[in-house]
Amino acid sequence: MVLGKQGSGKGTQCVKLSRRLAIPHISTGDMLRAEVRARTELGIKAREFMDRGELISDSIIIKMVEKRIELDDARTRGFILDGFPRTLSQAKSLDEMLLPQAIDMVIDIEVPTAVALKRIASRRICVDCQAVYSTSKPPKVNWTCNLCGGEVVQRDDDTQEAILKRLALYEKETAPLISYYQEQGKLYRINGVGSEEVVANRIDKAIQEYFKKHEKK
Ligand code: AMP
């Protein structure tokens, strides 16, 4: 599981980690944006909350995650959770879905709010595959995704007002998860300031530390 406030680089690191470990990346934000794009009933309902920077109700999110982790890839390879759980009640439901010991590591990517705000302001994403870019690292050709050719734009919820609301909600609803997992001895704190590669190396080190401790190969 990867925790971190908006702009911590959590999504980017989860994509890299998923490729390195060949483990599915389950991002509730990406799943919801796919529902919004497909104009499903859930997507239409979720969009209003997302654009305002508010959380979707626990029951909807929990059902969505429960369905996803039952798919073959997650059952056989395990998974990296990104953006879930976001509340204590979601964390407790996850413990019920899995056995509590099924979560191996909780990686918390820490960045000061000022750094997060700067990153969010420059963040751009592909509307089709959700690949993340920034104004300082744009796609090669005219805001067209390098990976799938989709249009690369600013997220609808990356407005100043929604960002501030999301950051405040993170402190109120999600930050308590840090002590929840620390008490279970599962928390690994990672300094999220630095280049993508530097942060990725720090995460790799923590994973090696975990394996050493648990003597898994
Ligand atoms: P993210 O891409 O993780 O920043 O998520 C974008 C938006 O999707 C959030 O601001 C929420 O509106 C919604 N969302 C994503 N994950 C959750 C979750 N676990 N619980 C509630 N709402 C969520």
Side-chain angles (χ1 to χ4, degrees):
M1 178 189 304
V2 182
L3 298 177
K5 65 171 71 123
Q6 293 71 16
S8 62
K10 178 169 58 74
T12 305
Q13 292 299 334
C14 284
V15 169
K16 281 176 170 281
L17 203 54
S18 160
R19 288 198 192 122
R20 286 205 298 285
L21 303 178
I23 297 179
H25 169 205
I26 300 181
S27 156
T28 44
D30 285 353
M31 289 165 80
L32 287 166
R33 281 185 287 279
E35 298 280 345
V36 170
R37 265 200 321 282
R39 295 195 172 81
T40 62
E41 203 182 314
L42 167 60
I44 291 164
K45 250 199 266 170
R47 182 173 188 159
E48 275 179 46
F49 289 86
M50 293 169 78
D51 284 355
R52 285 200 302 261
E54 291 168 9
L55 294 180
I56 311 300
S57 82
D58 284 346
S59 61
I60 291 177
I61 293 286
I62 289 163
K63 246 188 258 154
M64 195 173 83
V65 171
E66 203 160 18
K67 233 166 104 189
R68 176 63 186 89
I69 62 178
E70 275 170 10
L71 297 185
D72 269 358
D73 61 343
R75 286 166 78 109
T76 54
R77 299 285 312 158
F79 42 82
I80 300 167
L81 284 176
D82 166 7
F84 179 91
R86 239 178 170 101
T87 62
L88 215 45
S89 116
Q90 291 181 9
K92 290 184 176 158
S93 300
L94 180 66
D95 285 347
E96 281 164 23
M97 268 182 235
L98 312 162
L99 297 167
Q101 58 267 39
I103 294 291
D104 296 310
M105 289 183 78
V106 178
I107 292 172
D108 178 34
I109 305 182
E110 300 175 328
V111 294
T113 300
V115 174
L117 282 171
K118 219 169 133 194
R119 284 187 185 164
I120 300 171
S122 72
R123 172 162 68 188
R124 301 291 182 270
I125 67 161
C126 169
V127 294
D128 290 331
C129 75
Q130 315 273 319
V132 180
Y133 298 90
S134 75
T135 47
S136 59
K137 205 175 159 192
K140 290 186 190 115
V141 184
N142 204 17
W143 297 104
T144 300
C145 180
N146 294 340
L147 304 176
C148 76
E151 193 189 354
V152 174
V153 299
Q154 186 158 34
R155 267 170 56 166
D156 288 339
D157 59 350
D158 278 350
T159 59
Q160 185 77 1
E161 202 186 341
I163 291 167
L164 292 177
K165 204 183 270 173
R166 280 154 61 211
L167 285 170
L169 266 175
Y170 183 84
E171 291 307 324
K172 181 165 172 263
E173 302 283 358
T174 313
L177 296 182
I178 292 167
S179 41
Y180 181 72
Y181 290 114
Q182 190 163 29
E183 279 158 22
Q184 297 180 17
K186 292 179 177 170
L187 191 75
Y188 290 76
R189 292 176 186 274
I190 301 291
N191 173 4
V193 181
S195 69
E196 277 178 39
E197 285 65 34
V198 166
V199 178
N201 285 337
R202 289 180 192 138
I203 293 175
D204 277 346
K205 256 203 194 142
I207 293 173
Q208 282 163 20
E209 200 184 302
Y210 169 84
F211 278 120
K212 235 193 217 161
K213 203 160 113 193
H214 296 267
E215 287 177 357
K216 284 187 187 169
K217 292 257 153 52

